[in-house]
Amino acid sequence: MAIHRVFIHEGQKPPASAIAEAERASRMPINFEDAPEMTEEQLAKAAAIARARRAARRKSNLTIRMPQETIDKAKDLLGDGYTGVLRRLITKAINHPELLKDCL
């Protein structure tokens, strides 16, 4: 079975094909023969990597003041999960100097 990756963002529904494939995969037996048990050292290394990745993904809370009209428009245009979309928009703007320059 091949590995398929599907990225689903906040408020987005997975495609029917991805759901069907996940259901098919859940009924398949698991074969542990080619996966030997990890040593304590390997487990410790994996745990350290997991902690570092969690720390890198952690988000902080931020309070900003915006015109009510902008908030209402965002809710109408983006629907449920609009704050996640706004977060991604701000992140994208910060990482693109031309977009950032337009706002300064």
Side-chain angles (χ1 to χ4, degrees), residues 3 6 12 16-17 23-25 33-34 40-41 48 52 62 70 79 85 87 94 99:
I3 295 175
V6 176
Q12 181 185 8
S17 60
E23 287 173 354
R24 255 192 327 277
E33 291 175 10
D34 61 345
E40 289 297 320
E41 184 180 317
L62 169 70
T70 303
V85 176
R87 176 183 48 81
I94 290 293
L99 286 174

Side-chain angles (χ1 to χ4, degrees), residues 70-85:
T70 303
I71 295 169
D72 293 340
K73 191 172 185 177
K75 285 180 183 179
D76 290 342
L77 285 172
L78 306 171
D80 289 343
Y82 76 96
T83 56
V85 176

Side-chain angles (χ1 to χ4, degrees), residues 36-51:
E37 285 191 34
M38 294 175 76
T39 65
E40 289 297 320
E41 184 180 317
Q42 290 171 322
L43 285 171
K45 208 180 260 189
I49 291 170
R51 278 192 300 276

